[in-house]
Amino acid sequence: KKCSASRCYMCKNFLIESNTFSSCHTEQTFRHKQLLTCSTENVIYKIDCIIHNLSYIGYTTTSIKTRFSNNKSHLKTKNASCEIVKHLIELGHDIDFSSTRSYDESLSRCIKVTLIEKVDLDSASTTAEKEAKCETREGYWQTQLKTLHAGGGLNSKDSRKYVTRRKTDQKCVAF
């Protein structure tokens, strides 16, 4: 859900507001189970490159607004800090850095952001515990939405470990 701030660059230019989400790499559609905004912390998010029809799944223990500001800063300084920024730098997307407004408008013609879920965390969790749980959920959604390179997506590898049950053998499999 878009926030109520009239000048929020995130909601105005990048955030997709919808009851459902899917990946350009699958035909599956998922329903949002939570109300999420640009200020929600501990979220799994999806960034779609609308030019190349590719998706990236990430997580942040801060808000998406804060995380995305960091991504924008890295893009502007050509610091390939994550796969989506690397993609935007290497493929030379037409991004105008001349002013903040131009930057946001031109970047918004390249990418859109969808919030997937808020990770349920204990308020007493340490930073390491928060990150571990977020990484687990990030890995789950990378697999569900097929955003790893092997599935045609932008995520380079899933180094996270999580457990899922395969319907065929009902054994727990660590990925």
Side-chain angles (χ1 to χ4, degrees), residues 55-57 81-84 86 138 142 147-160:
S55 295
Y56 170 85
I57 300 294
S81 59
C82 67
E83 292 299 315
I84 188 67
K86 182 178 175 183
E138 176 189 50
Q142 287 173 349
T147 63
L148 296 170
H149 281 197
L154 288 172
N155 291 99
S156 61
K157 67 179 181 171
D158 177 16
S159 60
R160 289 64 155 167

Side-chain angles (χ1 to χ4, degrees), residues 23-134:
S23 171
C24 48
H25 311 288
T26 71
E27 294 186 19
Q28 276 188 292
T29 299
F30 300 87
R31 284 191 140 316
H32 287 285
K33 296 179 181 175
Q34 303 154 314
L35 181 61
L36 308 170
T37 70
C38 64
S39 61
T40 304
E41 295 181 348
N42 305 309
V43 295
I44 309 300
Y45 60 88
K46 177 173 68 95
I47 299 178
D48 290 315
C49 172
I50 54 182
I51 293 176
H52 295 104
N53 204 29
L54 295 169
S55 295
Y56 170 85
I57 300 294
Y59 81 90
T60 182
T61 56
T62 63
S63 70
I64 188 64
K65 195 173 186 176
T66 300
R67 178 69 187 112
F68 198 71
S69 288
N70 291 336
N71 284 345
K72 285 176 52 183
S73 176
H74 294 163
L75 178 59
K76 195 169 186 176
T77 59
K78 299 200 182 315
N79 174 6
S81 59
C82 67
E83 292 299 315
I84 188 67
V85 174
K86 182 178 175 183
H87 170 79
L88 292 166
I89 292 169
E90 289 180 355
L91 294 182
H93 289 67
D94 188 22
I95 300 170
D96 181 356
F97 297 105
S98 64
S99 71
T100 301
R101 182 178 177 179
S102 297
Y103 184 21
D104 285 343
E105 287 175 358
S106 62
L107 185 58
S108 73
R109 289 190 292 272
C110 301
I111 61 175
K112 294 295 177 190
V113 177
T114 304
L115 300 176
I116 294 177
E117 76 172 324
K118 176 177 175 55
V119 179
D120 185 29
L121 298 170
D122 185 325
S123 60
S125 296
T126 65
T127 300
E129 290 169 335
K130 287 179 183 179
E131 288 180 356
K133 194 158 185 186
C134 286

Side-chain angles (χ1 to χ4, degrees), residues 143 158-166 171-175:
T143 301
D158 177 16
S159 60
R160 289 64 155 167
K161 292 183 180 173
Y162 66 95
V163 177
T164 186
R165 288 197 179 274
R166 292 192 179 165
K171 293 179 185 173
C172 288
V173 180
F175 289 90

